[in-house]
Structure formats: C-alpha cells, structure tokens
Amino acid sequence: MKELTTAPVGSPSTFLNFPLALDLDALAADIAILGIPYGLPYHVNERANDQSLAPDALRQASVDVDYTVNHFDWDLCGPLLAGKDVRIVDCGNVTTVLGDDEEHYRRAEAAARRILDGGATLISIGGDHGIPIPVMRALERNEKITLVHIDAHLDWRHEINGVTEGYSSPIRRASEMDWFGDIIQIGIRGIGSAREAEVADARAYGADIITAYELEDIGMQAVLDRIPDGGPYYLTIDADGIDPTIMPAVMAPTPGGLSWRETHKLIHGLVNKGRVLGMDLVEIAPSYDVRNLTMIYAERLICNFIGATVRAGYYD
Amino acid sequence: MKELTTAPVGSPSTFLNFPLALDLDALAADIAILGIPYGLPYHVNERANDQSLAPDALRQASVDVDYTVNHFDWDLCGPLLAGKDVRIVDCGNVTTVLGDDEEHYRRAEAAARRILDGGATLISIGGDHGIPIPVMRALERNEKITLVHIDAHLDWRHEINGVTEGYSSPIRRASEMDWFGDIIQIGIRGIGSAREAEVADARAYGADIITAYELEDIGMQAVLDRIPDGGPYYLTIDADGIDPTIMPAVMAPTPGGLSWRETHKLIHGLVNKGRVLGMDLVEIAPSYDVRNLTMIYAERLICNFIGATVRAGYYD
Amino acid sequence: MKELTTAPVGSPSTFLNFPLALDLDALAADIAILGIPYGLPYHVNERANDQSLAPDALRQASVDVDYTVNHFDWDLCGPLLAGKDVRIVDCGNVTTVLGDDEEHYRRAEAAARRILDGGATLISIGGDHGIPIPVMRALERNEKITLVHIDAHLDWRHEINGVTEGYSSPIRRASEMDWFGDIIQIGIRGIGSAREAEVADARAYGADIITAYELEDIGMQAVLDRIPDGGPYYLTIDADGIDPTIMPAVMAPTPGGLSWRETHKLIHGLVNKGRVLGMDLVEIAPSYDVRNLTMIYAERLICNFIGATVRAGYYD
Amino acid sequence: MKELTTAPVGSPSTFLNFPLALDLDALAADIAILGIPYGLPYHVNERANDQSLAPDALRQASVDVDYTVNHFDWDLCGPLLAGKDVRIVDCGNVTTVLGDDEEHYRRAEAAARRILDGGATLISIGGDHGIPIPVMRALERNEKITLVHIDAHLDWRHEINGVTEGYSSPIRRASEMDWFGDIIQIGIRGIGSAREAEVADARAYGADIITAYELEDIGMQAVLDRIPDGGPYYLTIDADGIDPTIMPAVMAPTPGGLSWRETHKLIHGLVNKGRVLGMDLVEIAPSYDVRNLTMIYAERLICNFIGATVRAGYYD
Amino acid sequence: MKELTTAPVGSPSTFLNFPLALDLDALAADIAILGIPYGLPYHVNERANDQSLAPDALRQASVDVDYTVNHFDWDLCGPLLAGKDVRIVDCGNVTTVLGDDEEHYRRAEAAARRILDGGATLISIGGDHGIPIPVMRALERNEKITLVHIDAHLDWRHEINGVTEGYSSPIRRASEMDWFGDIIQIGIRGIGSAREAEVADARAYGADIITAYELEDIGMQAVLDRIPDGGPYYLTIDADGIDPTIMPAVMAPTPGGLSWRETHKLIHGLVNKGRVLGMDLVEIAPSYDVRNLTMIYAERLICNFIGATVRAGYYD
Amino acid sequence: MKELTTAPVGSPSTFLNFPLALDLDALAADIAILGIPYGLPYHVNERANDQSLAPDALRQASVDVDYTVNHFDWDLCGPLLAGKDVRIVDCGNVTTVLGDDEEHYRRAEAAARRILDGGATLISIGGDHGIPIPVMRALERNEKITLVHIDAHLDWRHEINGVTEGYSSPIRRASEMDWFGDIIQIGIRGIGSAREAEVADARAYGADIITAYELEDIGMQAVLDRIPDGGPYYLTIDADGIDPTIMPAVMAPTPGGLSWRETHKLIHGLVNKGRVLGMDLVEIAPSYDVRNLTMIYAERLICNFIGATVRAGYYD
C-alpha cells in the first residue's frame, strides 16, 4: 500500500537528498525519515497550522548529501556514516483525506509500523506535538520502552475541547500504552496547558521531571545518569524545549531552554546508553524563523542522531 | 439565536469601534458588518488559511470611530454619516464547529438572512472568496440582482477536488441562483483556475467580462455606464482585483489591478446607480502585508462604501 | 550669528555633498537647503517624532554631487545646473534648546529670513508640517504670494490641545499672513484632523481645493492652469500628498495620492509660471520606508525643483 | 487624586488583564503594576524615546490572566499565586503635562508613594533608566534599603547637559538618599557614560560591582551570597543587563549579559533573602525587538517576581 | 558542444518546468529560454553581483507549467499556447571559467547563435545590462533589426574604467553593429551614467528617445505607432525601466517607470507589428525584492511575450 | 608607495574615527587596523562576496572614538588606552586591480609587512578566511609563532577548484610557513570542507584541535593553559567560530560556538601569555546581520584586544 505517503515537493525534495522510498512494504532501510504534517486541531483556526509546513521546509533547508555524508563532521568526529554501509531513506510525508482528521493518524501509525517492523530506526518530523501519538502506538511491543522527552511543556493533558490526541496530550497517551515504562521529561519550564492535576498525574505515574533550572544546576551528564540504562528508548523533541535564541521558529518561545551543547551531549549520551528505536522533532513553525537558525539547528540535531546511532553500532 | 456570531478579540474589537451587536434577532441597524472567516478548503493545508485572520486584523487596524465619524472625509466631501442618524453595528464573526466545514456556511447564511431581512446593508469581511456564497444565498428574493464582481480571476469553476462551494466557484454559484441576473466582472487579468470551458460558460451566461486592459482603454466611467441601471446590486470584491502595489496582502498578487482612484469612482458610481444590498471584501491575507497598506486601503474602501450609501439616501 | 544652524552628521553630511554654509550672515548662494527637524508637539509622545530624523536621513541617502551635477538628467533634459554657474549650499539643521519648544521656530524663522533676504531660493526639509510656519513667516513682503500646497490633508485647524502652530495648522496660519494671497491645495483626500468648520473656513477664504479625484478627472495640466499666473509662489509638500506606494515613509498613508509623473509635471509647470521663492518637503518618517523608495523619490523631487529653477532662469 | 495615572490603551490594556486601579487613594492591593513612560531627556531628540512605548507594548504582549494564574508554572513549581488570595492590580500609566518634563517625575513619585504607603509591592515599568529615581524617592523610610541593580552600565553620572535625573544617574541619586544602604551592581560590562571619576565614586561609596565576567567565574549563587541578608531590598533591572540575544530590544546591546537561568536564580534567591519592596524593569525599546523575544522574557521576569513574592509569604 | 550551458539548480529548475535542453546542437525548439548570469564588471566589487542570481531566482519563483499552459490567461485571452503545438525549452545558464570574464560573453554569443540559427525565438534572462551585447552580436544578419529598448537609462557609454562591454554600453554597442537600424528607447528618466556627449551621440545616430514624461503625455499606443513597422525587432528590457513600485528588485529604482498596463500594451503591440527575434530581461537584483512582486511581474512579462508570439503566428 | 591602501568611505570612515594613515612607509603607530576585503574565489559567483563589505560596514557601525577612548570600559576595567599614550591608526583598505585576483594578496602582504616591520600590532579585518594568508606570510621571522585559531571549521584544505589560497586553506598554508610552530584550533564543530585526509594531516602536524564540546567540558581557562606559553602568537578569528546567536552575520551559522564570555577570557588570557603580533577577524557577511548584533560584538572584540595589549604593556 504505497499510498500511505507521498513525495515531498521543493528542492531538495528529500532530507539531504537521501533516496525517496514510498513503497513501505518493500522498504530496505536502516534509518527512515518520515514527515507527519498534521496534528489533531483543538480549534478551527488550528485546522492547518504553521507546523505542518515543517517537514518540507526542513528538507528544503538541508544541504546536499555528498557534503554531509563525505565530509568530516566534528560533532561526530568523522563522516556521518563513519565509512559504514548504512541505508538511509526518506519515506516522504504521510497522506490524509480532506474532512477526516483522524485518518492522517491512522496512516501515520500504519506507515510507522511498516518502517519499524522492518527494523529501521524511525526519524519523524512534525507537525505539532500530537503526531508522536500514532508513532508511539506503532512502537507496540512486549518490552518496556523508556520515553525521553525534551520540551518546555509537560504535555499530560487528557483532553482539550474533547480532543484527546492533540499536541497537549502525547506524554499522557504514552503513559497509557503498556509498552512505555519510565518517562523522563527534560527542560520543562514556564507555563503550558498543564494544571496542577496533570502535574499530580505525571508525578503519580513516576515521571522524572527535570526542569531547565535543575538541569542548569546538575548538568546534562547527571541528567543522562538518571535515565535508566539499557533501553530501548524513544526520544521525542519539541522544538520549544530548545532555547528560543537557537530555535526561534516555535509557537511558544520560552526562555531558558536547552543549549546546543547540552542537546549534543544528550543525544550522544542517550544513543550510547541503549537502543533508541526512533525520535521525532516536532513543533517547528517555519514562518517564524530568524536567519534560518531553527532549520540549521534542526538539521544538525538529526545528523547528530543519525551519526550517533551509526557509531553506536546499531546497523553493524 | 445569538450563537450565530461571536465577539471579535483585539483592540479595537469592532470595526471603527462601532457597537457590537450579537443578537441578530433583535438587530436594529442600517448597516451591519459581519466577519465570515472560513471558506471551504480544497486541500488539507487550506483547512485554516491566512485569509481567516482578516476580519479581526482589519478591525484592529481600523482607526477610532470618533475620528472617522466626525472628521471631514474628502473621499466623501463631508463626514462619514453626513450628519444623518445612521445606525451602524458590527455583528462579530460567524461561528463554526470543529469537524463540520459546511456548518460555518450554514451559520453565515442564517446570520446574513437575519441582517438582510431587517433591511440593513450588509458588509461582509472574509475569509476567502468562498464566503460570498452563503451571503448570496441569503439574498434570495423575487427580483433580479445585478452582481458586480471585482477580481483578477473569473471564479466560475464548478468544483475542485469535489468541493463546489470553494473560493474558485462563487460567480458560477451566483449564476445558478434565480435571484441573480446580470453579472459584470471587472479587473480580470492574468491566470487563475479557469480553463476555456469556464470562460465559455461565463460568456454563455452573458457575463460582461471587463479585463484590466479594457478598463485602461475605456476608463472606469465607461465601465459604470455598462452596468445596467436601477439595481438592486451586490458587490463582491476580491482584494486581488485591486493592484498588488496597493493591496499586497493577497495570496496571488497579479499586476495591473484597479488603482485606488478607479476603485473610488466605481464604488461611488455604483451606489448612486441604484440600491446596493451589500458588499463583501475577501481574500485579504494579513500576514503578507507591506507597511500596513492593505489594511489602510481596506478601511478606506469600506468607509467609502458606507459614506456613499448614506449620501445616496439609502437610510433616509 | 552662526549658531542658528549646526552641521549635520552622517555621510554624506550635506545634501548631495553640496558645500556646508553655517555662517548665514555671510551667505552667498542661489539655492540654500535648510533642515528644520522639530515641529511643535500636540502630545507628549510627539515631543520627538520620527519626522525629525528626515533631514539627515535624506542627506545620507543622497548620491554624490559629481554624479548628480555632471551627468545627464532626463527629468530635466540636461545636467542639473545646465552648465550654469549656480551656487548651491546646505545650511545644515536649525538648532534648538532643551525645554523651549518655540525657540526652534524662532531660530528657523531667523535662519530662513537670512537666507531669503540674501535672495536665495530656500529648500526646507522637515520635520513635520508645523515647520513651514516659521518659514512662511520669514517670507514676509509687500506682495502677495500664491501658496501651492500638496497634501492629503487640509491643515486648516486653528489649534489642537492649545497648540496653534502644530502640523495641522500651517495653511490656516498662512491664510492669516498678509503676504499670502491665493491658496491652491492639491491631492486632498481621505480623513484628517479637519472638521466641517475648517473646510468652511478654507472655502470662505477662497482656497482652491483640488481633491485627488478631481485631479484624476481633469489632469495635472488643468490644475496648473488653475493656479494664478505670475507668482511669486511658495510650494509646501507634505510627503503624504504623494501616493503611499511611492512615498510609504509617512505617518498617515492615504490611498490615491500624486503619482511621480503628476508631481514632475506640477514642479516644472509651477516653476515656469513664475518665481517660486522656496519649497519645503515635510512629514517624511524615515523609519517606515520600504526599499528606500521614499528617500529616492524625495531626492528626485528636490533635484527636479532645483533643475527647473535653473532652467527657468532664476539665477541668470 | 485619580489623575496621577491614566488607563493604558490596546488589548490587553492591563498587564495580564489584571484589574485596572486608577484611584490610588482607594487602592487595596498586594501587588501594583505602574507604567512610567517618560524619563528626563539629555538631548532634544530624546524628548520622546522608544522606551516610552514599553509599558503599553509589554501589556499588549502579555497573555491572558486565566492562563497565567490558573495553569502550572514550572518557573515557580505551581500556579502564579499558589492558590493564595493575592490582590494584583494594574495602576495604569503615570500622566504628565506638555512642556514640563519634571511634572511626570513628581506624579510618578506621588503615585509610587500612594502605592507603597498602602503596603503593596510595586512593579514599575519604564521608560528609560531615569524613571526609578522618583520611585526610589517614594521609598523614603527610616531603615536602610539594599539596592540590587542589574545593568550593563554603572549609572553613576552626576549630570549630563545639566540634567541630574536622567537615565545615567539613578544609582548615584540612590546613593544620596538616606534610605539606601548597600548597593550591589550585577552584570556590568562594556562601555557606558561612566568615566573613571564615577567609578571611583561608586567604589568610594562601597558599591559591590560584579561584572559579567566575575559572575561567569563565581556563579549566580555566589553573587546572591554576597548580597547582605535581611533586606529590605529594591531591585532595578535595566533590560540591557540581560543578554541581548534574549532581550534584543534595547538601545545599547552589549554582549555577555545575564542568561535567563541566571536571572531566574537571582530573582528567586533575592526574594527569599528578605522583603523586596519593589522592582522596576526599564530601557526596553519595543521597536527593536526580534521575534517578540524581549516581551516574552519581560513577562516571564515579572511573573517570576510575582510568584516568588507570593511563595515567600509576602502577602500571607 | 554541450558545455556552453549548464542545468540550473533549485525547484523548479527550469522556467515553468519547461523541458531542459542543454544540447544546443540538437535543439528543436520554437522558443528557447537562456540564462546569462554574468556581465563584465567595472569595479572589483561588481565581479559578482546580485543580478547574477536572477536567472535561477526567476525560475524558482515560476509557477508550474500545467497551470500556466492549460489555464486561461486573461492577459492573452486564452491559454498560453492557444492550443497550438509550440516547443518551448529552457537551455539552462551559460557557463564560464574562473579568471576570464570575457569567456562568459563568448559562450553566451555561441549559445545564442545556435539557438537563433535554429530559428527559435530567444528569451535571455540576465544578469546585468551587459549581457545583451553577446546576444545582439549573435543576431548578426543581412537585414536591419529595429532595437526596442525599455529602460530608465540611455546605456550609450563607450567605456567605463576601460571596459567597453559593461552594463552602461549595450545600446552604443548595438548602434555599431551593422545589423541594427532604428533604435527606440522608452521610459528614459532620471540620472544614469550618461553625460551630454552620449546623449548627443544617441541623437546623432537617430535614436528615438521617449522619456517617461512624453510617454505619459502621448500614451503607449502613440509610442507603438512611432516604432517603424515591419521588423524584425529585438526587445531589451532593463527591469528599472518598469516602475519601481512594481519591480522594486533593481539596483537603481527610479520613479516614473512603465506601469504594467503600459508594458502589456507594448509587448503585444510590438509582437504584432512584426517578427520579434528575441527579448531579454536584465538587471533584476533578487535580494531587493518586496513581497516577491518583481518575480511575479517578470514571469508575467515573459508569459505575455510568449503568448503574444504564439498568437501572432510565429510558429504556425 | 601610498597606493597599497585606500581611504574607506562612509561615516565614520575609519574604525572608531581613529586617524587615517595611508602612507605606510611613514607609519608611526603602535596599533594599525587594516581592511583586506577580497579573498580568492573558488567559484565565479564568489568573485565578490558579502564578506568584502565587512571592513567598511564594521567601521561605519563603530561608535565614536571620544566615547570609546575616554569612558570606562568594564571589559577592561578602565578606559581603552588606560591613560597611556598609544598610537592607533586605521590604514584603510588594501587596493586591488580588476582582473588579477592575486594582486590583492600581494598588496595585502606588502601592506602588512610595512605595518609589522614598523613594530605595530596589526588588526586585519576581512574579507573571507583567505585574507590571513598574505598577512601570515608577512609575519615571516626567525622565531616560531604559535597560531591560535577560532573557527567552526578546520581550514586545512590544500586546494579547491585549483585555488590553494582560498578561505578553506589558511591553516594548512600557515603550517607550511617555517615561522609558524604550534597551532591551536578552538571551537571546531559541525561540518566544513574538511575530509578525513585533512583531519589526518592536521593531526599529523600536531594541531591541537579543541572542539566546542571539549571546550564546554573543560572550560576556557583549561584551553588557555594548553596553549604553549611565551609567544609570540598570531590570532585568527573566523566569525563563525563565535556562536551564531551572537554573530549571526556569517555564511555558515553553526550551533555551539564560543559565547562572548568565553571569547573575552580567551582574548585577555592569550594577550597576557605573551606577545600577540596581530589578529584578524574574518568571514563577517554584513547583509545577514540581525539587530546589528554581529557588528556590536565585532567592535567589542577588537576593543578588548586593543585594551588587553595596552594593559599587557605591549607599547610601554
């Protein structure tokens, strides 16, 4: 069923010009990139949002694959793929139908299942923070996954305006899936949609909430040490978890977020603690960028994740 | 049924700070302003569009009512209301429900009917060019209305992606309503969604299509003279009919549009030829404005329409 | 008394790099440029306004004098000075003292008197539309001057907040000076601070008010023909009289203003009808410019005025 | 005497939509917000400055009170008011009269006295750094206040152009008031109006000047430890004390300022060391903002101050 | 010799996605589009200029070919190709070698000769106004071509800094080629590099110089009537000949240029007077665009030229 | 031979308005500033690049010398020159000739030799990172210089497109000069033109490569400690070595660069370890600045370098 995803437009039309792979049933990949543009809206004026432009904007902002693959990357201390034969594909964007918002989620889950079932590491690009919900559902398995969540916000709302799978709910939804165990939430700060009840729920569940201020006091290495060893892990990154001076293209810029050096340490540290099954990068609103910085940081973030998994021997 | 419309936000929250009137059943007004934010999307990424921001953006850009009502307006050669007792209200924005795109049109039609049935002149602010469709349906009557249409595009498509009441179809939809007779389309130029079949249909109907180039050659007075006398009229203005140097905040800027002086002559000339039942101003995309010019021109356009109707004795 | 004016800063520091002449008592010039930055404020938040930045901004935006003086100017059909020996100086900016707003006007009038008494044509750069008041006072003489006024607004207010010499009053103030006779006001449109009483006063005085719409209908040559022959003239140009698409850097952009071709015809036509004693260009708010267009147009406007006076034999 | 302050305009018109309280004699508040737009100018072109736009710009940028008061704020580890009954009002902006610059200071002092005498914590929003002078004068009492000053600049000038209460002098003025004792100046760096004499004066007074570089070396906790315990304190924050990457909307961006995490630690640490009588946030120049970051940080800063005082039991 | 041109990058990579044709020896086309990025610099800081970005920027800004070819274009009163079988190709950009500026011209001439010798109409996209020189050289033939030139500037300089084929010289260079006869220069205004000597030379040659002001007085139809009938013609359009409100992305915006409606009439009128062998559009500096207007106008201009030649039966 | 350099234009036309010194043979200076605008291009579209605008842009952005020299600079804990008699001059910009790219380097080397031979500390402002090559060549001497290099990139490419002295090669070129010994490279991160071979070469040479991540872990003081003591040193700073949030005006913004506080510590630490013969600041692309931050930081960086050398007794 090829129709789950569609080819992106623009130039480059795929992330770093990696090969396009729309036939998910025939997928042969170590790493798969998947655009999931649409969350579930809370209000009519969110039916289409700026974040839905991010998958293609990020692809178009990406530099060419020869450069990135063959040149020396000092974030990785070597070329992206470290001379290994690693198969990376871009699976395009999940499709949808007009008038049935949930169908996009169903297709996203189906696409993610195909990719994950084939053994590939999945890199999902949102879209808002609702889109990890179908991805996390596709991660269904008989072992417990540790969820690592970078965000300014807690995202434990049960529902808003009757919608239970919108961008304020992904961590609560994960907490309800049997295959998620420990939850670590990093960079939390400022105000979001959470009220005291949600905070109580998160704490009752056992979520390890590390505010930006605690992070400042203890350092990222200590944060890494608090994440249970072994894995497997899933990493969900809300762009507003990163500091708005370096990722300004978000809807809710909040002071005090992760620096790039902190982010770099987290990604490499986590990938080396155990298998990270996939990651997503969500809530980039391209129209609000300043000097293209958000896009540059986003590409670096994804390349660091790819390069770290390669070096950790995921595909050997 | 007050719930048809809701109060706008921002400051000013109503156009020129005219009184807010949400109880449409109890409406007592000569002129009513109505925001209709949402058209029917052709693609999922049009579910919310920039044009839906226009009603409130236009209100917030409007200057204060004391200034506008009491000072001398040289576009009108006197104060806005010419010293007469004219009741102008802002009825707020038509509401909708999440997940049922057509409901917004149903409410728009209901709101417009209430306003028009009360005898008020209706000024609708879009939204895209789909929103005149429910308004024109609400104009149902036993006499023929002459439709005057300012646009770069013909808007005679029957359907796109199965949607028959989207922004490419309003003039065809009008042509199918028994209460519309002559159709005059002014400022047409460049390329739109029309193919040769639609042009043939428009011509078969008898639409008088006056391109921007013919307008340049004959002048706006000659255009006015070609509009059948007597009325009643309905005036629908797509912002991209106006030249993009003066209304840059549109999705499809097209060179050669109406100048302000041409627009001024058309509005005053039409209002004096006969009763104009209402007008709409659609397809303003506020995010794309330059130096706030589009908003300034939009306010002038509406004030000229109001002032012209007052001077033509509509409310005496 | 050299202290009436001070050297501008920036680069170029004088208009077109013409020589700086601060010693007004020793002035030997055919044409003198004078910056007058400060009007009289109506509100505390107008104590300094963006228009006060215009004299130096306009100088800094001007191209070099060699280019402008020696190259062929098609607006003039020849080089700026037509090969004649014409002395042009920049007298810098009128000074002021902190805490006495009126002192700036007193110095502006004194500076203008020295320049005009020496026989030079005076080109004043504002500042807001209050600054022509001291200039017009300095024009005191025993003959009647015809005032030609380009503006969107009438500027006949007697006072606002007790201030009688602010930017809404210059034409009324001129009407009270014995040495002004006919007043022609061109490009009037939209709403300003005028109420019906002021319009009545202007009409009672005999002001010939030519709206932008009448100008469109009759053309600029007919406007020129309506200006009484012979002179002398004084020309005051509010930048918002020009269309905001070509001079966007104004506080009150108003659609329908003079095009450049209309402006060109007016300047050359007027200068050739009789002696124009001086002109001012006011109400440019540099911070609001788009693509530097306002500054480019302003320089062209002044160069056309200079070149026209040279060709009309003013300095032979 | 209600006329000391006036209602702000815009939407929201008060900070976070807290209730407006213009009758200062009848004030019943725990925390009062006060806009003081105008400093004393050194030059005529500073008579009105961009900073005077900050009080209303900051209010209009603030999010709604329901959200801020009821949702969980991770900067505070709970809702803004921690479930307590704390009365917060916005007292509007201090008024002035045209032509008497000092009158604004007299009214600011009178307004501040009324607020402080009623026992409320005062949050003043400038305006430039002259505006704390009347506020600090209103703090007159029989105990010594410790002044904590965040800034890039020293602000110990005695006078400039004869003006002794302008934006370069507030700390020297405080040093002359009997009711100020210890002075701690944090984040000092780069060049300002200070010469060696002023630095000598500050040091002779005993001011504890902590440059940004010393702060980097010792950390904010050590800075807090150096502030004498007990209080009472007054906190004056020049926005250019904060790093210009996070508060770009200042007149003199200077590299190396306080990070948000440092600012957060300082505010909470200080409020918990003893009673902070009030704070001001000055020198925001809204026109220079980038991606609205300055406004977002300013709101966070004030909310952190409010929330910290609530948690420290100031109003129990 | 395929190496004369190279494939453009970006998306779309060809104008309107027309087929790419790099093998000029095997060219089978009715209309060929050719990018010529580099002129000959006068100064070292012009070695690469913003205009060299225009060919690809214009291609990337162009809309898709299906839309443009199949939809009804009201500028043409029908679809672009009027249902005819017309072969349009994009030949990419002329190549060059580092360190030999003239080689680019040699290749441009060679490429243009191959295209023209094959009978195709050539549409060249600059680059600055030097690039028509090799194109015009490639037009060599035994009949006289009438040169129609739209520009603010005269472009009759013999040399600047020793360079004789730079952007100030194309019309003089044309005047020296035996195969150019009448020269009509339209829209001339303001100041350029011309001095009186060059104007004298142009007039001595017999160039018909029609300033923007004469155009305003007589109208474009009269201008068309003054162009000798019969052809063949070559049309060179400097973007600054068009009014800067509609084509702001030029290095020397000059008020009073051609309106779109005037441009439309000129293109269609000229194409119908006789065979136009080719046209170029030069001096677009993409970095200076406002709201993408220049790019939109440029595409319209080229489509109008294409559509006009199709309707005039050039390829029947 | 005065013609090696030429006076900059603009205002101020020299850095901080220091005296202009074009006669390099008669130079009597302790510190000399030299603009070197042009590198050697790799591609034709780099023949002139945005970086070539930086020397004059940086001068024009600099504040006045009185302010900077006489006021107290907290980065230095005293006035810039610490009351000493230090002679600082601006030698203008190195000239070139059209059509011979290497001549600019030859003149740059000649100018640098004259300045350095006279004993002055040389501050070079690029231009791209090719321009230190002639400067480093002019440093020829019989002792080993330690090269300290701040950059995101390694810059060890031998050649690109046949060009061996372009912006990717300065450190390799230095490694080949007998007078350079130890090389320390700080802030390296992300991807550049280096491949594994170049990294191997750099390591074989013994370059001490300190990535941004190692810097984060060990701190700048430890970095300083790793730089061999004694000197002499040469400091080359690529603006993209600094974090793009504080120096956004670079061609390749790369996350994780040096903070200002780190930069401050490095400059002062290095200058005090031994004699720094000169420094350069390259790769600023002024057109890409945000809120003028890059220019402000650049000026601070140079002033800190000047002030540090003064305090270290270089000129006593």
Side-chain angles (χ1 to χ4, degrees), chain E residues 38 41-45 47-48 96 98 101, chain F residues 38 41-45 47-48 96 98 101:
Chain E
Y38 303 107
Y42 293 135
H43 304 284
V44 67
N45 62 2
R47 288 189 300 178
T96 186
L98 202 56
D101 290 343
Chain F
Y38 303 107
Y42 292 136
H43 304 285
V44 67
N45 63 1
R47 289 190 299 179
T96 187
L98 201 56
D101 289 344

Side-chain angles (χ1 to χ4, degrees), chain D residues 252-283:
Chain D
T254 307
L258 271 69
S259 74
W260 170 250
R261 295 179 186 173
E262 288 172 343
T263 309
H264 178 268
K265 191 179 285 282
L266 175 70
I267 290 172
H268 289 271
L270 182 67
V271 167
N272 282 289
K273 283 179 80 84
R275 179 82 182 205
V276 183
L277 303 170
M279 64 159 281
D280 59 67
L281 177 55
V282 298
E283 292 288 355

Side-chain angles (χ1 to χ4, degrees), chain A residues 43-45 47, chain B residues 1-8 20-24 33-40 52 55-56 59 90-112 114-115 125 131 134:
Chain A
H43 303 285
V44 67
N45 63 1
R47 289 189 300 179
Chain B
M1 184 175 161
K2 283 183 186 171
E3 306 76 9
L4 286 176
T5 63
T6 187
L20 180 68
L22 294 183
D23 185 350
L24 300 185
I33 293 156
L34 180 68
I36 310 178
Y38 304 108
L40 284 188
S52 67
D56 286 4
R59 288 174 174 115
D90 187 327
C91 297
N93 292 324
V94 174
T95 55
T96 185
V97 294
L98 201 56
D100 180 358
D101 290 343
E102 284 82 4
E103 177 63 12
H104 189 56
Y105 273 25
R106 286 189 288 267
R107 295 188 184 187
E109 182 183 339
R114 276 168 178 72
I115 291 167
I125 304 173
I131 69 103

Side-chain angles (χ1 to χ4, degrees), chain A residues 266-287:
Chain A
L266 174 70
I267 290 172
H268 289 271
L270 182 66
V271 167
N272 282 288
K273 283 178 82 83
R275 180 82 182 206
V276 184
L277 303 170
M279 64 160 280
D280 60 67
L281 176 56
V282 298
E283 292 288 352
I284 292 176
S287 303

Side-chain angles (χ1 to χ4, degrees), chain A residues 38 41-42 44-45 47 98 101, chain B residues 38 41 44-45 47-48 98 101:
Chain A
Y38 304 107
Y42 293 136
V44 67
N45 63 1
R47 289 189 300 179
L98 202 56
D101 290 344
Chain B
Y38 304 108
V44 67
N45 63 1
R47 288 189 300 178
L98 201 56
D101 290 343

Side-chain angles (χ1 to χ4, degrees), chain C:
Chain C
M1 184 175 161
K2 283 181 186 173
E3 305 76 10
L4 285 176
T5 63
T6 187
V9 295
S11 170
S13 65
T14 62
F15 185 72
L16 290 173
N17 263 331
F18 282 121
L20 180 68
L22 295 182
D23 186 350
L24 301 185
D25 291 325
L27 195 70
D30 296 308
I31 300 172
I33 292 156
L34 180 68
I36 311 179
Y38 303 108
L40 285 187
Y42 293 135
H43 303 285
V44 67
N45 63 1
E46 294 176 334
R47 287 191 300 178
N49 58 27
D50 205 74
Q51 297 95 306
S52 68
L53 307 173
D56 286 5
L58 210 157
R59 287 172 174 118
Q60 290 163 25
S62 69
V63 298
D64 70 289
V65 68
D66 289 339
Y67 180 85
T68 306
V69 169
N70 295 323
H71 287 221
F72 196 93
D73 188 336
W74 285 97
D75 291 356
L76 308 171
C77 285
L80 183 66
L81 303 182
K84 301 183 181 183
D85 180 23
V86 176
R87 300 161 303 164
I88 308 183
V89 297
D90 187 326
C91 297
N93 293 325
V94 174
T95 55
T96 186
V97 294
L98 202 55
D100 180 359
D101 290 344
E102 284 82 5
E103 177 63 13
H104 188 56
Y105 271 25
R106 285 188 289 267
R107 295 187 186 187
E109 182 183 341
R113 280 190 185 271
R114 276 169 177 72
I115 291 167
L116 291 163
D117 289 355
T121 302
L122 173 60
I123 300 172
S124 305
I125 304 173
D128 65 36
H129 216 158
I131 70 102
I133 296 175
V135 171
M136 294 189 298
R137 204 172 278 138
L139 284 165
E140 183 178 9
R141 63 195 57 218
N142 288 323
E143 59 183 340
K144 290 289 191 187
I145 303 168
T146 296
L147 179 62
V148 178
H149 172 221
I150 299 180
D151 205 329
H153 308 106
L154 201 65
D155 290 356
W156 271 79
R157 285 294 290 265
H158 176 54
E159 61 82 38
I160 292 180
N161 291 349
V163 178
T164 58
E165 301 198 347
Y167 55 76
S168 294
S169 301
I171 309 307
R172 179 180 287 270
R173 290 293 87 78
S175 77
E176 298 163 351
M177 299 179 195
D178 288 343
W179 48 97
F180 279 98
D182 290 308
I183 295 178
I184 294 88
Q185 304 189 261
I186 305 167
I188 306 300
R189 65 199 187 279
I191 310 184
S193 65
R195 270 86 57 103
E196 291 189 289
E198 281 92 27
V199 176
D201 290 346
R203 287 176 169 153
Y205 179 89
D208 187 3
I209 303 169
I210 302 167
T211 67
Y213 311 105
E214 184 177 5
L215 167 62
E216 176 75 3
D217 285 339
I218 66 176
M220 187 56 87
Q221 186 57 53
V223 171
L224 276 165
D225 295 342
R226 253 158 73 176
I227 299 174
D229 288 331
Y233 302 105
Y234 183 74
L235 175 62
T236 179
I237 303 178
D238 185 318
D240 68 23
I242 312 300
D243 197 69
T245 61
I246 60 179
M247 284 194 124
V250 297
M251 301 307 288
T254 308
L258 272 69
S259 74
W260 169 250
R261 296 179 185 172
E262 288 171 344
T263 310
H264 178 269
K265 190 179 285 282
L266 174 70
I267 290 172
H268 289 271
L270 183 67
V271 167
N272 282 288
K273 284 179 78 86
R275 180 84 183 203
V276 183
L277 302 171
M279 66 159 279
D280 59 67
L281 177 56
V282 299
E283 292 288 353
I284 292 175
S287 303
Y288 300 93
D289 211 356
V290 173
R291 182 70 184 95
N292 210 31
L293 288 181
T294 306
M295 291 302 163
I296 290 168
Y297 280 63
E299 182 184 325
R300 282 282 81 204
L301 196 155
I302 294 173
C303 285
N304 271 271
F305 179 73
I306 291 173
T309 63
V310 168
R311 278 156 181 76
Y314 282 25
Y315 318 113
D316 296 343

